[in-house]
Amino acid sequence: MIIGTNEHLETALEQYREHQNDSTVLSVMNAITICLAAGEEWLVPIDLIGDGMNETDFPEERLLEKLPGMVKKEVVSSSGKTCLYAFTSLEKVRMAGTEPFLTVRYPATDLLREFTQAASGKALVLNPSSDAFPFFPQDAVKLLSAMAEVPRAAVLKFSRISIEPKAVIDVRKILDDWNSGWSDNGKEPEQWNYLCCPIMADGRILLLFESCDKIYGSKAHMLHVDHTIMRYRVLEYRIGEDGPEELNRYRFTLQDGNASTVILYDGILKASVKTTNSRKETILPMIPTNDDGQFKIYENVRRIVSRSDGSIAVGYYGNLCDEARLPLMVFDGEGNAIGKYGDDHALFCADITLDSKEQIWFHLFPSGEILCLSSDLRQVEKHRVALQGFCGFALSDDTSKLFLDFGEDGFGSVKYVLIRNQNGDYVDPVRFDFPPKNSDVGECSSVNFPCSTMKSWVCIQADSKLYLYDINDI
């Protein structure tokens, strides 16, 4: 759902109430025009027509043509004049007074078009208050005429997209239960930390947690860490109609090594592991344990995506134009390199994802493109993107919509959705709006990690919760 232009109008109305001058009046009129061009809806208070009455018993300007049998409600302004009115949001309806009344969503363009037929002295008021902004039928005519001249860029500037998450997983609650819910024979409770939530090609979500134990030794009466024991827990979820459903739990341990992500294929849980003081990573089966099934994927790994056939695509930070340093490599389930892509001008692979057909899409930095590997991993299709510098992306099933993530570790997050034009390029970026909201300022809370993506799925971490979206819902 597109939102945002009504909020821009609300801001303009607030400025008008504080400073009633020609500048704020013009700002309100411009904001109304943008709302009309965006196809916004307003909330119109209505009364049901009582028994024994019909539409002919009411002035024409009070009728809603698309809602036969209902009429616009009226309010008396502070100056004693009777005005028609409407609201830009449910919040503004609640602020209007303690007496409840019925409202319906109604296209703003239709409302103004009908209002142009009202008597010249009749006023329409948005979000009525003691110093409300009234406009008249002649103003409505000008606004409707100006609507056709509003450039699309002006509408997109104030627009945002909002959809409901498919599921919300409370990571903080999971950690609180583990960290403080029990102790073992008087020992301190284990301290678990959340790492990441890789999404598998079939839509399953894996939550990876770790806990660290240190084994100390002494030399010359000085304590030092001889070994680290990293313990890992993995929760496997499937998103159903009723929200997240936990399918399985896994656990494994590494000595003097760290796992950066996990992969689940055909009942085998694998981890991408780095040993202490090394940048080289190895895909290592953890459940069941099978050292013979391991293979190396080089070093400087940035992103790993697994496919339904067991193969993986790996994006790297480095790009030194040899097979071990290309920005993108594809390995089969046995660790054989079956595909690769190099670019003399790329510094690293910013992100990888799959489309609904499990073709590999990736973005190289710096560039203004996303690339798609053909099914045989030999040809590359390029698509230009109107925004640059993103670190994550996802695609709708028909590839008509592109989700971009500009989140970085510890530096907040901004997301956009673009549409694919007839040339195959992605244009017209619109901000993607997501919860939770800060009730005081109405802004999204900080998001401290890049989101996880797979096909049309997007998992955003915010306020210790994971919000899972499907871009197909836009």
Side-chain angles (χ1 to χ4, degrees):
M1 182 178 82
I2 297 289
I3 62 173
T5 50
N6 267 340
E7 294 181 0
H8 172 56
L9 173 56
E10 290 172 3
T11 300
L13 288 169
E14 291 297 330
Q15 292 173 347
Y16 166 78
R17 292 186 177 104
E18 294 178 5
H19 309 285
Q20 297 188 21
N21 53 43
D22 292 343
S23 176
T24 56
V25 169
L26 181 60
S27 295
V28 171
M29 298 298 279
N30 288 338
I32 294 174
T33 306
I34 291 173
C35 285
L36 298 177
E40 280 281 19
E41 294 180 335
W42 293 337
L43 294 165
V44 181
I46 60 171
D47 276 336
L48 299 177
I49 294 179
D51 294 337
M53 304 179 68
N54 57 47
E55 288 87 344
T56 59
D57 296 316
F58 296 89
E60 184 177 351
E61 67 267 12
R62 290 195 61 197
L63 299 177
L64 294 173
E65 294 178 2
K66 292 191 173 183
L67 298 172
M70 294 183 177
V71 298
K72 299 174 188 173
K73 221 176 174 186
E74 293 184 345
V75 63
V76 177
S77 68
S78 59
S79 60
K81 295 182 179 179
T82 302
C83 303
L84 305 173
Y85 66 110
F87 296 92
T88 54
S89 65
L90 281 173
E91 181 183 3
K92 298 300 180 182
V93 173
R94 298 188 188 100
M95 294 171 58
T98 56
E99 294 185 7
F101 49 85
L102 183 65
T103 62
V104 294
R105 289 192 173 276
Y106 206 73
T109 51
D110 291 333
L111 182 64
L112 261 63
R113 195 169 289 113
E114 295 169 16
F115 180 60
T116 59
Q117 307 302 317
S120 58
K122 186 71 69 176
L124 176 64
V125 175
L126 292 175
N127 301 338
S129 65
S130 58
D131 50 358
F133 179 90
F135 60 98
F136 302 90
Q138 58 270 30
D139 298 319
V141 172
K142 296 177 181 178
L143 290 168
L144 291 168
S145 176
M147 174 185 69
E149 304 299 325
V150 176
R152 179 168 176 78
V155 176
L156 296 177
K157 178 180 178 181
F158 299 105
S159 298
R160 298 202 314 278
I161 288 176
S162 176
I163 57 177
E164 289 297 315
K166 290 292 187 183
V168 180
I169 300 175
D170 192 338
V171 175
R172 174 52 55 193
K173 184 178 185 305
I174 295 172
L175 290 173
D176 287 345
D177 291 343
W178 289 352
N179 290 339
S180 60
W182 56 272
S183 62
D184 185 12
N185 297 326
K187 295 181 179 179
E188 290 293 324
E190 296 178 348
Q191 295 298 310
W192 289 91
N193 300 304
Y194 166 77
L195 284 185
C196 59
C197 56
I199 307 174
M200 302 297 100
D202 60 4
R204 288 175 298 170
I205 299 175
L206 305 180
L207 269 60
L208 178 62
F209 302 85
E210 75 173 1
S211 180
C212 179
D213 289 336
K214 296 179 180 179
I215 300 175
Y216 290 92
S218 63
K219 186 175 182 180
H221 306 290
M222 297 291 292
L223 283 176
H224 64 277
V225 177
D226 276 344
H227 302 283
T228 58
I229 306 297
M230 304 302 298
R231 307 182 190 279
Y232 293 91
R233 290 178 178 176
V234 180
L235 302 182
E236 177 189 354
Y237 287 93
R238 177 176 58 200
I239 307 304
E241 294 182 358
D242 298 326
E245 174 189 356
E246 186 177 311
L247 299 179
N248 288 296
R249 296 184 175 191
Y250 309 89
R251 60 183 179 181
F252 60 92
T253 302
L254 296 172
Q255 179 172 320
D256 298 329
N258 298 85
S260 60
T261 190
V262 286
I263 300 165
L264 186 62
Y265 169 70
D266 198 22
I268 299 175
L269 182 72
K270 300 180 179 181
S272 183
V273 177
K274 285 190 297 187
T275 58
T276 303
N277 300 322
S278 173
R279 293 184 298 178
K280 295 181 179 179
E281 297 204 24
T282 300
I283 301 297
L284 188 63
M286 293 296 170
I287 299 175
T289 302
N290 179 12
D291 290 344
D292 294 335
Q294 64 179 291
F295 59 90
K296 296 186 182 298
I297 56 173
Y298 309 119
E299 61 186 38
N300 297 324
V301 173
R302 179 178 174 91
R303 179 86 157 93
I304 299 175
V305 168
S306 62
R307 304 163 81 193
S308 296
D309 61 1
S311 63
I312 63 171
V314 184
Y316 298 90
Y317 284 101
N319 180 24
L320 301 182
C321 300
D322 63 73
E323 189 170 280
R325 299 294 188 275
L326 293 174
L328 177 75
M329 296 284 291
V330 184
F331 301 88
D332 64 17
E334 303 300 322
N336 301 306
I338 58 175
K340 57 189 176 182
Y341 185 82
D343 186 325
D344 292 345
H345 304 289
L347 297 179
F348 60 87
C349 181
D351 193 38
I352 310 172
T353 192
L354 304 179
D355 62 18
S356 59
K357 299 177 182 178
E358 297 206 9
Q359 295 184 115
I360 298 169
W361 292 66
F362 56 103
H363 170 55
L364 302 181
F365 179 87
S367 78
E369 299 172 328
I370 54 175
L371 299 90
C372 176
L373 273 180
S374 59
S375 300
D376 61 6
L377 306 179
R378 296 182 182 276
Q379 296 181 347
V380 170
E381 185 180 279
K382 298 182 179 181
H383 302 266
R384 295 192 61 81
V385 180
L387 299 177
Q388 298 184 29
F390 51 93
C391 62
F393 68 101
L395 293 155
S396 60
D397 286 351
D398 60 2
T399 68
S400 65
K401 302 180 186 71
L402 173 67
F403 171 92
L404 297 183
D405 174 30
F406 288 82
E408 288 291 351
D409 291 344
F411 292 98
S413 183
V414 180
K415 288 92 171 58
Y416 287 89
V417 174
L418 296 81
I419 60 172
R420 184 170 174 168
N421 64 15
Q422 59 185 4
N423 298 322
D425 300 328
Y426 289 94
V427 297
D428 294 342
V430 179
R431 282 282 296 268
F432 182 81
D433 188 45
F434 55 92
K437 295 279 192 178
N438 182 308
S439 59
D440 295 329
V441 298
E443 295 293 335
C444 294
S445 65
S446 63
V447 180
N448 296 320
F449 298 91
C451 60
S452 297
T453 61
M454 169 59 70
K455 298 183 178 178
S456 66
W457 293 100
V458 174
C459 191
I460 299 174
Q461 180 185 354
D463 284 2
S464 300
K465 293 182 180 179
L466 301 178
Y467 296 83
L468 187 71
Y469 296 91
D470 187 349
I471 301 306
N472 292 321
D473 291 341
I474 297 176

